[in-house]
Amino acid sequence: MALKHKGLAFEQIPLLLTDKESIAFADANSVPVMVDGDTIKTDSWDIAVYLDDSYPDAPSLLGGTIGEGVTRVINSWCDRAVNVALGPLIARDVLDAAYTDDRDYFRESMEKMYKRTLEEVQEGREDRVINLYRTLDPIRTSFRKGQDFICGASPAYADYVV
């Protein structure tokens, strides 16, 4: 999304969760992995900062230093609140949607993280979905007040993160 936002040409290479060899050159265990000439970036935030710094004439992802600070807060909020609220609600469903060859790996890694089976993680999710709604309320409120995107009139990195 960041590369498209910047209007940059790129080659997208789809990978399986278990395809670690393809990204080993970057010392990465997961995606994203971005290669731009001699530069390798393996974190979404680092990629966004790099793209804004390296391609300043393309549309900004972060909106300058003030926007970067605010967007960092939203990025952290997504990592620490939104994903924590959302993950247990959908993990079992993601397993069903995952590529067949990745399902064992996905189940094992998620059950290790949650310290219980995905079926146990999902139990009672109908009662817990309210936590996700509460977590998302600051964003939902801003949209009710006529704001089209988190970043205002058009989307940028904070919108893509959420």
Side-chain angles (χ1 to χ4, degrees):
M1 293 173 124
L3 291 163
K4 286 184 178 184
H5 179 93
K6 297 293 270 182
L8 301 172
F10 63 95
E11 177 186 5
Q12 184 173 340
I13 303 170
L15 300 175
L16 300 176
L17 291 171
T18 52
D19 189 8
K20 305 297 184 186
E21 289 180 26
S22 296
I23 56 175
F25 72 93
D27 289 329
N29 291 318
S30 63
V31 294
V33 173
M34 185 199 76
V35 179
D36 186 27
D38 293 334
T39 301
I40 299 171
K41 296 292 180 183
T42 60
D43 175 81
S44 298
W45 178 260
D46 292 342
I47 291 169
V49 171
Y50 170 81
L51 291 173
D52 263 7
D53 289 345
S54 299
Y55 300 94
D57 294 335
S60 178
L61 286 159
L62 304 172
T65 57
I66 292 172
E68 183 176 335
V70 172
T71 302
R72 184 182 292 273
V73 171
I74 290 178
N75 190 70
S76 179
W77 170 70
C78 283
D79 287 345
R80 297 172 183 265
V82 175
N83 293 343
V84 170
L86 179 61
L89 301 177
I90 65 169
R92 181 62 184 83
D93 298 320
V94 172
L95 175 68
D96 291 338
Y99 185 74
T100 306
D101 292 348
D102 278 341
R103 289 183 183 163
D104 289 342
Y105 172 84
F106 181 82
R107 178 182 282 281
E108 182 181 318
S109 61
M110 290 295 104
E111 289 180 352
K112 182 178 179 182
M113 182 180 79
Y114 288 120
K115 297 181 173 77
R116 54 191 174 174
T117 69
L118 291 180
E119 290 74 17
E120 291 169 332
V121 169
Q122 185 168 302
E123 285 177 10
R125 72 177 173 176
E126 296 80 14
D127 298 328
R128 291 181 287 121
V129 74
I130 191 69
N131 294 331
L132 177 62
Y133 291 145
R134 288 180 182 140
T135 301
L136 292 172
D137 196 55
I139 300 300
R140 295 174 344 137
T141 301
S142 66
F143 291 147
R144 277 188 238 132
K145 300 196 183 223
Q147 189 167 317
D148 293 332
F149 297 95
I150 294 167
C151 294
S154 60
Y157 189 76
D159 295 278
Y160 308 141
V161 170
V162 174

